[in-house]
Amino acid sequence: MERQDGVGEPTDQLTVDQLAARAGVTVRTVRFYSTRGLLPPPTIGPRRVGRYGPEHLSRLALIEELQNQGMTLAAIERYLQRLPDDISAHDLAIHRAVVASWMPDTVDETTRAQLEGRVGRELTDDDIERLAAMNVLTRTKDPDVFRVDPALVQLGVRLLDVPISQEAILAAREVMMEHTRSAARELSRLFKSEVWDPYREVESDPERLERMKSLSAHMQPMVVQALVTAFQRSMKEELRAVFPLDPAPGKGHGELRERPRTTRSPRTTARGTP
């Protein structure tokens, strides 16, 4: 049986070829990652055909970002082993966002056909206009070639199906941009006043001063992770206050049901090839 997502659509519906095309890797790479245990096994469908879903796509995207950071496959495997067994595609996307947030900004030039193959769907002219409005892509002189932000393209395509207006999405983006700029400004001011200025007053060695100045860049991953964690917790609190949640069976109202989370234990054998 195919698993269902939150809106009732089957989620495990990609063949290994389709998964590889969506992730921008080869089928051989998918099978290799599966053998190494970096990907969970697929759901077995009719005629014993493996079917893959959003979790596999998100995990492949996370592996790509970790490789961009220079991590070896052994290090990536250790990283993934620390994640819960039941981690969702949404949570994997957050992990990827944290990893990608301190990578250099990149823009890929891609054709419309290549973009549609990457996101796994046909894009209408209206879809292209909405993605452009969200700064996910920009047009070029060729009407069928776009400059695409790879860090935003999957998020932008998912937002196309969210039943809210483009104006609301852009307003939400403005809110986030305003507050993230404010947080970045205040944290930079705090580092300058509490760390950099006092250190510069007592240290005259140019080499040591340069090392201290570069500390802000080394701290960026920790700051981003702290901001993401704080934002997640704040969002959960706000959503609990705004939207009523179903109580767990046999419990009174106001008692929230928590799904148990398990930690992946170290593997002793590699998983088989799908």
Side-chain angles (χ1 to χ4, degrees), residues 5 18 53 61 63 65 93 100 114 125 128 130 134 141 145 158 164 167-168 181 186 191 213 229 234 250 255-256 266:
D5 63 15
Q18 292 169 329
I63 291 171
E65 293 296 349
Q114 290 171 333
D125 290 342
I128 295 296
R130 295 187 69 187
M134 291 185 282
K141 293 181 179 179
V145 177
R158 289 174 65 185
I164 59 176
E167 289 74 16
R181 286 195 190 102
E186 289 302 312
F191 178 84
K213 191 174 182 180
T229 301
S234 296
E255 293 182 277
L256 301 180

Side-chain angles (χ1 to χ4, degrees), residues 32 47 54 58 83 87 115-116 173 191 203 222 230 263 265:
F32 174 69
R47 290 180 289 183
S58 295
L83 301 179
I87 190 168
L115 179 59
E116 290 177 336
R173 180 179 182 274
F191 178 84
E203 181 58 66
M222 293 181 287
T263 302
S265 59

Side-chain angles (χ1 to χ4, degrees), residues 33-54:
Y33 287 165
S34 298
T35 303
R36 289 291 299 262
L38 301 179
L39 286 178
T43 298
I44 303 302
R47 290 180 289 183
R48 305 294 297 172
V49 176
R51 296 287 177 173
Y52 299 83

Side-chain angles (χ1 to χ4, degrees), residues 26-157:
T26 64
V27 171
R28 183 178 179 181
T29 297
V30 173
R31 296 192 187 282
F32 174 69
Y33 287 165
S34 298
T35 303
R36 289 291 299 262
L38 301 179
L39 286 178
T43 298
I44 303 302
R47 290 180 289 183
R48 305 294 297 172
V49 176
R51 296 287 177 173
Y52 299 83
E55 293 85 354
H56 298 92
L57 269 174
S58 295
R59 193 171 286 258
L60 284 170
L62 176 57
I63 291 171
E64 179 184 20
E65 293 296 349
L66 294 172
Q67 286 180 320
N68 289 338
Q69 283 289 317
M71 293 179 66
T72 64
L73 283 179
I76 292 173
E77 184 172 3
R78 290 193 296 271
Y79 182 98
L80 296 177
Q81 284 176 347
R82 293 195 294 267
L83 301 179
D85 285 329
D86 60 352
I87 190 168
S88 67
H90 170 75
D91 289 334
L92 283 168
I94 292 176
H95 275 269
R96 178 179 180 248
V98 172
V99 173
S101 59
W102 59 87
M103 291 293 293
D105 292 335
T106 59
V107 176
D108 294 339
E109 194 165 281
T110 181
T111 66
R112 185 167 187 157
Q114 290 171 333
L115 179 59
E116 290 177 336
R118 185 66 184 267
V119 302
R121 60 181 283 178
E122 182 180 353
L123 296 172
T124 66
D125 290 342
D126 183 61
D127 292 336
I128 295 296
E129 289 295 334
R130 295 187 69 187
L131 291 173
M134 291 185 282
N135 290 331
V136 173
L137 58 80
T138 56
R139 296 182 180 277
T140 66
K141 293 181 179 179
D142 186 333
D144 284 325
V145 177
F146 309 97
R147 293 187 179 90
V148 179
D149 186 337
L152 291 178
V153 63
Q154 292 295 341
L155 173 61
V157 171

